[in-house]
Amino acid sequence: MKSLNIVDYADEHSDFRKTEFPARHIYERLLPEVVQTHSNIFYHRASPYSGQGKPTTDRTLGDIHQWNVWHGSQEPWHNWDILAGRHAFMCGRQGYPDIRTVDYWLGGDVSERFPQSRTNNNHNKADGFERRLELYLMENFKHAFDMESYVYYTQIMQAETLASAYRLWRRNWAGRGKEYTAGALVWQINDCWPVTSWAIVDYFLRPKPAYFSIARELRTFTVGMTRKEKTTFANDRSAADFTIESVLEIWGTNSTLSEKHATLEVTSFDLESDWTDNWAKQVILTANSSTELFKGKVPGQPERKKLSEVPKVIIVSARLLDGQTVLARYSNWPEPFKYIHFPPVKDVGLEVEVDKDKETVTLSTKKPVKGIVLDVEGDQVEWSDQAIDLVPGDPQIIKAKGLKGGEKKVKAFSPTTMSATTTPNESPIGTPIQPLHNPSLAAQVVVPQAPLGSVANQAPGMGAKALLAKKMAKNHNPAYISPTDNLMTPVTQKLNAARKKHFTNISKWITEGHDSCPMCRRFLVEVQGSNDVDNTEERDDHNLAEELEAALSRLRQLREENGIPGPNDIVNGLFISPSASRTEDEYDDRAQYSGMYS
């Protein structure tokens, strides 16, 4: 409504009943007065709402709806810390529900059991959800398209996104005078019908992995990490020589009203070797605040001097310990995950053991494992945790209500299990690791019989490019316009805007009558009679000399008529301060055409 000039946020005193938005009187005058008169409850006028004449996008007052991850500019979820507000009232990310819920709405129709089916699309009412889901999946994961895999990857992506938001925003509650983010609410808790949505619990109250990842970030004590690349150039006049170092930052949070003494233990692993590193130190977590604990290089990660140098796959695990009690844990993996070559299952050493009470599951591993989601065949089990990052030397205990004495086979889904070509022997209390897709069902790629673009063999070994060109030429219909022709990613929109600005400025420069090139400042010299010259004919040296002399004569004439300095004057001017001969505005007359320069 602000864009429609219906609401003036700076107006706090008018009689809103006489404006084009009279209902504002109810929200901002009537209801606050009723609440204040009859209770001691704090009343927040609206959401989003900043107050004090500020727009609802203000990040320092009131609350903000932050949808630039998923909607809006579709930012990476790693940018949540700079996409913060005084109170982040709304944020979210879609993820498929439990596979049992998907099978419920499919109603046994196996032909529709794939992500892009009509039935699955009808059970997602978000505008543009296909593009948004796939954009973030392709940017971050090496994923598959069978139903189980797609469910898993959208769920783990939702879990990573929302956990990152809570983790980074809790860091922003940094103590007196630095309460940059005071709270957050996720969109949304549950669904009102079986559907793929932003909910963290589906219609049948089956929690998604995001439910557990958020719960971990809301515990009394938490530990968080970020990993960022810092590029340092050898000098400020060249981009040729530089170094890239990976910088690790670690912080802890404490939501109690008393400071907490703890031990910070940091262990690092190289996923592609047996290298490890471990260190620990005593820390004090400030009461009701986040506390910065460490900033330095990622252990084991060498500096790089070329963009082509591939960084090591270093996983950093941090724990906050109170004696032998684990207060908090978090593992930081290099991202995007799609670049990681996960080791074969046989080399990971992942074990899932059911304890004697028949409802406690212990997870352990010999190699770091990312994003474990536990499941069983048949009826669902109530798990105490999901979306688990597991590292060697730090076994995790999960409660499994409804496991029925270990009679059910526990399956562990993770990106690591995707590389499996075989499944270990299953047993009621063993470690059956379920591959998320069967490699034998992968699409078969037919290699063209002729090189791409070759037209030597017109059939059947015609090159793919030639075939496509022939087909397009045959079926070309200039009247047809695809609905997606004008769809662009935010990055493409920015690039197109820059190009448009560039060419607009060039046109403006020419139409304003400038007699020199805006890039190199050479004069635009018109050679008399040049339009009459046939460039296809050979010219003798005599004619060329005459034309050159005519052009030089014309150049000298233009220079004298306009009072433009000659070559000697230009050379002398190189050693004179510009301010001695021109004003700053005269010397910088190309500033308005900045769009033409890099």
Side-chain angles (χ1 to χ4, degrees):
M1 288 185 290
K2 175 67 174 179
S3 60
L4 299 176
N5 296 320
I6 294 177
V7 177
D8 180 6
Y9 289 111
D11 181 10
E12 296 281 348
H13 306 290
S14 298
D15 186 349
F16 301 138
R17 292 170 293 185
K18 299 179 180 179
T19 67
E20 295 185 43
F21 185 38
R24 189 178 176 189
H25 174 81
I26 299 175
Y27 308 139
E28 300 190 23
R29 299 282 170 78
L30 179 61
L31 291 179
E33 182 178 348
V34 170
V35 173
Q36 183 177 5
T37 302
H38 298 284
S39 74
N40 58 358
I41 299 173
F42 173 78
Y43 178 83
H44 192 59
R45 298 182 179 187
S47 181
Y49 181 79
S50 297
Q52 301 184 31
K54 301 292 185 179
T56 57
T57 53
D58 187 274
R59 297 183 181 182
T60 61
L61 295 170
D63 71 297
I64 187 173
H65 288 191
Q66 186 49 268
W67 278 108
N68 280 318
V69 174
W70 179 264
H71 288 304
S73 56
Q74 298 177 13
E75 301 286 335
W77 69 67
H78 318 87
N79 289 348
W80 280 123
D81 51 349
I82 61 176
L83 297 172
R86 187 68 175 83
H87 186 281
F89 181 80
M90 193 182 295
C91 69
R93 153 83 75 210
Q94 278 206 348
Y96 264 80
D98 189 284
I99 188 66
R100 297 168 182 81
T101 303
V102 175
D103 286 334
Y104 169 83
W105 73 52
L106 290 175
D109 187 351
V110 180
S111 67
E112 288 285 287
R113 203 175 188 267
F114 62 98
Q116 307 98 320
S117 71
R118 183 183 297 274
T119 304
N120 281 327
N121 280 9
N122 286 340
H123 284 263
N124 191 330
K125 298 303 181 182
D127 184 38
F129 70 89
E130 300 101 325
R131 295 193 304 275
R132 289 169 169 81
L133 275 176
E134 200 55 38
L135 167 69
Y136 283 102
L137 282 174
M138 289 297 293
E139 284 184 344
N140 293 281
F141 296 97
K142 184 171 56 179
H143 73 93
F145 277 94
D146 61 281
M147 203 66 245
E148 283 81 2
S149 294
Y150 209 77
V151 167
Y152 167 79
Y153 275 114
T154 61
Q155 287 184 350
I156 208 68
M157 180 171 66
Q158 182 190 41
E160 289 287 325
T161 301
L162 299 181
S164 177
Y166 277 82
R167 185 183 311 118
L168 293 171
W169 288 341
R170 282 197 72 175
R171 185 188 191 184
N172 283 348
W173 184 255
R176 186 64 63 91
K178 294 183 289 185
E179 300 97 335
Y180 305 119
T181 301
L185 288 175
V186 67
W187 182 269
Q188 63 199 69
I189 300 298
N190 63 332
D191 289 319
C192 61
W193 72 298
V195 67
T196 297
S197 76
W198 302 270
I200 59 176
V201 178
D202 72 18
Y203 173 74
F204 294 104
L205 301 183
R206 295 166 176 150
K208 300 179 187 179
Y211 173 90
F212 300 95
S213 66
I214 292 176
R216 287 196 296 268
E217 299 300 332
L218 291 177
R219 290 174 180 170
T220 304
F221 304 102
T222 67
V223 61
M225 286 182 279
T226 61
R227 173 192 321 221
K228 297 182 180 179
E229 291 189 341
K230 179 183 178 182
T231 303
T232 304
F233 293 94
N235 64 76
D236 57 1
R237 297 188 177 184
S238 173
D241 298 319
F242 56 86
T243 58
I244 303 174
E245 66 174 351
S246 297
V247 179
L248 181 71
E249 296 181 3
I250 306 176
W251 67 91
T253 67
N254 173 9
S255 62
T256 71
L257 300 181
S258 303
E259 65 179 27
K260 179 67 175 179
H261 291 256
T263 301
L264 172 64
E265 180 188 75
V266 179
T267 308
S268 303
F269 307 87
D270 184 349
L271 192 62
E272 297 173 346
S273 74
D274 295 329
W275 176 90
T276 62
D277 179 76
N278 179 270
W279 58 269
K281 71 172 185 177
Q282 299 301 309
V283 297
I284 300 176
L285 302 178
T286 307
N288 191 27
S289 173
S290 65
T291 305
E292 298 299 314
L293 303 178
F294 172 81
K295 181 176 181 179
K297 295 182 180 180
V298 173
Q301 189 68 267
E303 290 185 350
R304 292 176 286 151
K305 297 185 181 298
K306 295 180 180 179
L307 293 175
S308 58
E309 293 179 9
V310 179
K312 293 184 177 181
V313 184
I314 303 295
I315 294 94
V316 184
S317 171
R319 299 195 301 175
L320 288 175
L321 305 174
D322 184 4
Q324 298 300 315
T325 302
V326 179
L327 299 176
R329 59 164 61 89
Y330 171 62
S331 293
N332 180 276
W333 288 63
E335 299 186 47
F337 305 122
K338 64 182 179 182
Y339 293 147
I340 299 176
H341 297 287
F342 293 98
V345 173
K346 61 183 180 60
D347 297 335
V348 171
L350 175 62
E351 295 186 359
V352 182
E353 296 183 359
V354 179
D355 292 350
K356 295 180 180 180
D357 65 1
K358 306 303 184 183
E359 288 195 342
T360 301
V361 176
T362 301
L363 304 177
S364 62
T365 185
K366 295 179 181 179
K367 283 277 189 180
V369 182
K370 178 68 186 174
I372 297 175
V373 174
L374 300 171
D375 201 358
V376 295
E377 295 179 357
D379 296 335
Q380 188 184 20
V381 169
E382 293 184 20
W383 305 96
S384 64
D385 204 0
Q386 291 281 30
I388 301 158
D389 290 350
L390 195 64
V391 297
D394 185 22
Q396 297 192 40
I397 298 175
I398 313 299
K399 290 295 183 180
K401 185 179 179 181
L403 195 56
K404 297 182 179 179
E407 297 175 359
K408 298 183 177 180
K409 304 169 190 174
V410 178
K411 298 184 289 185
F413 294 95
S414 83
T416 301
T417 65
M418 271 188 254
S419 61
T421 55
T422 59
T423 301
N425 293 330
E426 296 182 344
S427 64
I429 58 173
T431 317
I433 301 174
Q434 178 74 18
L436 291 189
H437 69 282
N438 189 340
S440 65
L441 301 180
Q444 300 299 314
V445 179
V446 179
V447 181
Q449 298 178 19
L452 291 179
S454 170
V455 293
N457 299 324
Q458 293 295 323
M462 191 176 188
K465 286 186 178 180
L467 278 172
L468 180 61
K470 181 177 179 181
K471 183 177 181 180
M472 293 295 292
K474 181 178 180 180
N475 299 327
H476 179 60
N477 180 9
Y480 176 75
I481 300 176
S482 169
T484 61
D485 281 349
N486 296 321
L487 291 178
M488 291 183 289
T489 66
V491 173
T492 303
Q493 289 175 342
K494 292 177 182 178
L495 290 174
N496 285 349
R499 294 190 189 102
K500 184 177 180 181
K501 181 179 179 182
H502 172 84
F503 290 112
T504 300
N505 287 335
I506 286 286
S507 301
K508 183 180 178 183
W509 177 275
I510 295 174
T511 56
E512 286 183 355
H514 290 272
D515 57 2
S516 63
C517 171
M519 302 298 288
C520 63
R521 286 300 200 174
R522 293 178 179 174
F523 290 99
L524 305 175
V525 179
E526 179 183 358
V527 180
Q528 299 297 331
S530 61
N531 293 333
D532 298 329
V533 177
D534 187 355
N535 294 327
T536 62
E537 297 180 1
E538 294 185 0
R539 300 188 232 170
D540 57 32
D541 294 342
H542 177 72
N543 291 337
L544 289 174
E546 288 182 352
E547 291 180 13
L548 179 60
E549 180 60 32
L552 291 173
S553 176
R554 176 59 176 162
L555 179 61
R556 285 192 292 270
Q557 180 182 350
L558 286 172
R559 192 182 69 228
E560 293 171 357
E561 290 176 356
N562 294 279
I564 298 170
N568 293 335
D569 298 326
I570 293 175
V571 172
N572 293 334
L574 293 175
F575 302 95
I576 302 175
S577 172
S579 60
S581 58
R582 290 188 176 187
T583 65
E584 183 178 352
D585 291 339
E586 290 173 332
Y587 211 79
D588 196 26
D589 62 342
R590 292 183 291 175
Q592 60 178 314
Y593 303 98
S594 60
M596 296 185 288
Y597 309 102
S598 61

